[in-house]
């Protein structure tokens, strides 16, 4: 069974500082990887995804993530945090092989941006 | 991207009553929809997979008689919480995944905040 680990349930950064949210997966075969953002009392919105090809993926709102197979990681970064980035962020995976295409989510990381 | 509309966005009900939550796929036909539950400050837990025209597939530990799912059309799935109790209070979110492929993104409804008093 696959699992997703997000290190740090809460991350605080100053406005303008680097954002780094960590995600590691456990799977014998690299899965498809996704980052979603959730604002309070709302559904989830896709930030970016990795399926195949270039391991550095750029998403919306200036976010990007790099798939590192050797480290089984897919960390999310943004060079300069903005107040509007304050939200909950979820890393999710889907198996790349045959089988169910349901998403498995990490526990989430709440990002706070300090003015 | 797909637009998913979930209704209501919040509901308060008395213990023992039933509540129906609707999930509509507005711009594409969804043979499969997913229902999640999210407790405060926790991740999304898949409750069940709703299949158009057939029975839903429930995850282990989810009571199918309590959480009734109906997927009567390609654009609508409903989740009914029967005989609701305070412990059922949670945030419920539906999702669709166009193309039903593992590398496609999922689109989510805005969620329903259920409070049982």
């Amino acid at each position: 069974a696959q699992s997703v680990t997000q290190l740090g349930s809460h991350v605080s950064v100053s406005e303008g500082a680097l954002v780094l949210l960590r995600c590691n997966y456990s799977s014998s075969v690299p899965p498809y990887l996704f980052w979603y953002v959730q604002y309070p009392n709302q559904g989830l919105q896709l930030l970016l995804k990795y399926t195949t090809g270039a391991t550095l993926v750029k998403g919306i709102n200036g976010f990007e993530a790099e798939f590192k197979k050797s480290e089984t990681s897919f960390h999310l970064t943004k060079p300069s945090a903005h107040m509007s980035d304050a939200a909950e962020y979820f890393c999710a995976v889907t198996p790349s092989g045959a089988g169910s295409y349901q998403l498995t989510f990490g526990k989430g990381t709440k990002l706070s941006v300090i003015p | 991207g797909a637009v998913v509309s979930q209704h209501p966005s919040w509901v308060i009900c008395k213990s023992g009553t039933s509540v129906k939550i609707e999930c509509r796929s507005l711009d594409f036909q969804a043979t499969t929809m997913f229902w999640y539950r999210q407790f405060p400050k926790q991740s999304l837990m898949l409750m069940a997979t709703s299949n158009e025209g057939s029975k839903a597939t429930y995850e282990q530990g989810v009571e199918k008689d309590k959480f009734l799912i109906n997927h009567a059309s390609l654009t609508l799935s409903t989740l009914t919480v029967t005989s609701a109790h305070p412990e059922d209070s949670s945030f419920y979110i539906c999702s669709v995944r166009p193309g039903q492929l593992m590398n496609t993104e999922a689109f989510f409804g805005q969620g329903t905040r259920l409070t049982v008093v």
Side-chain angles (χ1 to χ4, degrees):
Chain A
Q2 295 187 121
S3 67
V4 181
T5 302
Q6 290 183 241
L7 291 177
S9 59
H10 192 184
V11 171
S12 292
V13 300
S14 298
E15 189 174 17
L18 171 70
V19 176
L20 171 60
L21 304 182
R22 300 178 185 274
C23 173
N24 287 86
Y25 66 90
S26 65
S27 174
S28 57
V29 177
Y32 296 129
L33 297 149
F34 305 80
W35 273 100
Y36 284 88
V37 61
Q38 183 182 34
Y39 296 98
N41 291 313
Q42 293 188 30
L44 279 70
Q45 179 184 12
L46 181 72
L47 282 176
L48 47 80
K49 67 177 182 180
Y50 170 78
T51 55
T52 59
T55 56
L56 181 62
V57 180
K58 295 185 183 299
I60 62 172
N61 301 339
F63 284 94
E64 61 182 39
E66 186 172 11
F67 169 62
K68 293 186 177 180
K69 182 179 178 180
S70 61
E71 299 178 5
T72 61
S73 68
F74 191 56
H75 301 330
L76 181 71
T77 61
K78 182 174 181 177
S80 177
H82 191 272
M83 295 298 294
S84 60
D85 294 327
E88 188 92 24
Y89 292 81
F90 292 94
C91 183
V93 302
T94 290
S96 58
S100 171
Y101 60 101
Q102 66 191 45
L103 284 165
T104 299
F105 288 88
K107 292 187 175 182
T109 299
K110 183 177 180 180
L111 175 66
S112 297
V113 181
I114 305 167
Chain B
V3 178
V4 181
S5 177
Q6 194 172 333
H7 178 82
S9 56
W10 61 270
V11 58
I12 301 174
C13 72
K14 292 184 177 181
S15 185
T17 62
S18 296
V19 174
K20 179 184 286 187
I21 302 170
E22 293 186 348
C23 180
R24 293 182 183 274
S25 176
L26 299 183
D27 57 356
F28 94 105
Q29 295 181 328
T31 56
T32 302
M33 294 185 180
F34 301 95
W35 285 97
Y36 293 86
R37 182 174 182 177
Q38 185 179 30
F39 290 102
K41 300 182 180 181
Q42 294 190 30
S43 187
L44 283 75
M45 298 300 295
L46 181 67
M47 298 175 64
T49 302
S50 172
N51 304 299
E52 188 268 334
S54 64
K55 293 182 179 180
T57 304
Y58 289 82
E59 295 300 303
Q60 189 174 11
V62 178
E63 299 176 61
K64 62 181 180 181
D65 295 330
K66 181 169 187 61
F67 298 100
L68 300 179
I69 291 174
N70 184 279
H71 194 152
S73 78
L74 290 171
T75 59
L76 173 64
S77 175
T78 60
L79 168 67
T80 301
V81 183
T82 63
S83 187
H85 291 282
E87 57 266 30
D88 299 325
S89 298
S90 191
F91 194 58
Y92 294 87
I93 308 176
C94 68
S95 168
V96 301
R97 203 164 182 188
Q100 300 183 194
L101 299 174
M102 298 172 188
N103 61 352
T104 58
E105 69 174 284
F107 295 90
F108 293 82
Q110 62 268 49
T112 298
R113 173 74 60 192
L114 170 63
T115 303
V116 184
V117 298

